[in-house]
Amino acid sequence: MSENDLLRVEDLRFAYDGERRAVVDGVSLELGTGEVLAILGPNGAGKTTLLHTLLGILKAQSGQIWLQGRALSACTRGEISRVVALVPQFEHVAFEYSVEEYVLMGRAPHLGMLDLPTEDDRGLAVDALDQLGLLALRGRSMLELSGGERQMVVLARALAQQARLLLMDEPLAHLDLSNKGRILAVIRRLSEAGVAVVFTTHEPDMVQGVAHLSLLMRKGRGVASGRTETVMTSEAL
């Protein structure tokens, strides 16, 4: 394992209880500091399940995941959440948090159980909103937002978390072209700042120019992986 590896996955396999076919079957990958990996595949390919195993939400039946050189299984939830952030494709919001309050939750992994957010924490939340052009929404209720606006706020919360590895599940879905461009620009800036990014998508045209690495998945298996320019061929797609 290279000293530069932030994430390494070897022969990962996961199947839900009662199902014979693995949803993730024999997937391996490596990701270094500042690298961007795009995971492409149709619905049902296992992309979301793979992200959840990388975060430790789901426990693989076999294979191994290393995070910063440590086995993921040996890391506590707190240790993982200080390194890895997840932007889900959809997140249900049950309470009437303001946008700023919601983004401030991204600072929770860095606070003690009874600690209150500091001014520095609040500044990081405001900065995350500013990066995404969302400052005008900071006082709005999360329940009043459109689907696209809510997805952007979920990303702002992840940015406030200041993780070294960002997992994004279909971050471009349900967004107009302008906001898609904004998300891709944020991914590039994060990469330049040394943050590694893994994002899933079914839009091949959104991968070129932003992802250093690509993994094509079909029925749970990686059918092609490597540098994007060698993987994203018409034959493979």
Side-chain angles (χ1 to χ4, degrees):
M1 185 170 184
S2 167
E3 291 182 359
N4 189 48
D5 281 348
L6 177 62
L7 176 71
R8 181 182 175 190
V9 177
E10 187 173 291
D11 201 20
L12 199 67
R13 184 183 189 279
F14 176 85
Y16 290 100
D17 290 343
E19 294 191 11
R20 298 179 62 184
R21 185 179 72 84
V23 182
V24 174
D25 192 4
V27 171
S28 299
L29 60 91
E30 294 183 6
L31 191 67
T33 299
E35 288 187 318
V36 178
L37 166 67
I39 303 175
L40 295 98
N43 291 337
K47 305 186 300 295
T48 297
T49 299
L50 176 57
L51 289 191
H52 289 174
T53 58
L54 298 182
L55 190 61
I57 296 174
L58 299 175
K59 185 177 180 181
Q61 280 81 23
S62 62
Q64 185 61 278
I65 303 171
W66 288 272
L67 182 64
Q68 295 188 133
R70 291 182 63 197
L72 187 71
S73 57
C75 299
T76 66
R77 291 306 314 165
E79 289 171 334
I80 294 171
S81 63
R82 285 189 287 274
V83 178
V84 187
L86 173 68
V87 179
Q89 186 173 355
F90 176 80
E91 182 164 280
H92 178 65
V93 179
F95 301 101
E96 201 163 347
Y97 298 110
S98 73
V99 166
E100 186 171 349
E101 288 170 337
Y102 185 82
V103 173
L104 193 56
M105 292 178 190
R107 299 303 301 156
H110 304 279
L111 301 175
M113 186 174 296
L114 300 178
D115 291 345
L116 295 175
T118 66
E119 286 305 310
D120 286 342
D121 294 318
R122 296 184 184 280
L124 289 168
V126 170
D127 182 62
L129 288 169
D130 190 31
Q131 286 186 58
L132 295 174
L134 301 173
L135 277 179
L137 301 179
R138 62 191 291 185
R140 290 266 303 277
S141 166
M142 288 291 293
L143 302 182
E144 297 173 356
L145 303 183
S146 68
E149 288 171 335
R150 185 177 296 187
Q151 186 67 8
M152 296 288 282
V153 173
V154 172
L155 174 55
R157 183 188 64 179
L159 295 182
Q161 193 172 330
Q162 291 194 312
R164 294 193 61 205
L165 172 61
L166 183 61
L167 308 178
M168 308 175 74
D169 193 10
E170 295 283 357
L172 305 175
H174 314 303
L175 297 180
D176 59 28
L177 192 59
S178 175
N179 279 328
K180 284 183 179 181
R182 186 173 293 171
I183 295 293
L184 294 174
V186 168
I187 291 174
R188 292 189 191 96
R189 288 202 301 270
L190 289 170
S191 173
E192 291 168 359
V195 177
V197 179
V198 178
F199 72 96
T200 66
T201 183
H202 58 271
E203 301 180 63
D205 54 328
M206 293 295 173
V207 173
Q208 300 283 359
V210 68
H212 305 98
L213 306 167
S214 292
L215 169 66
L216 305 186
M217 291 187 68
R218 182 173 183 269
K219 295 182 178 179
R221 299 192 65 86
V223 296
S225 64
R227 305 297 299 181
T228 294
E229 60 269 20
T230 62
V231 171
M232 298 293 289
T233 63
S234 57
E235 293 82 3
L237 292 172

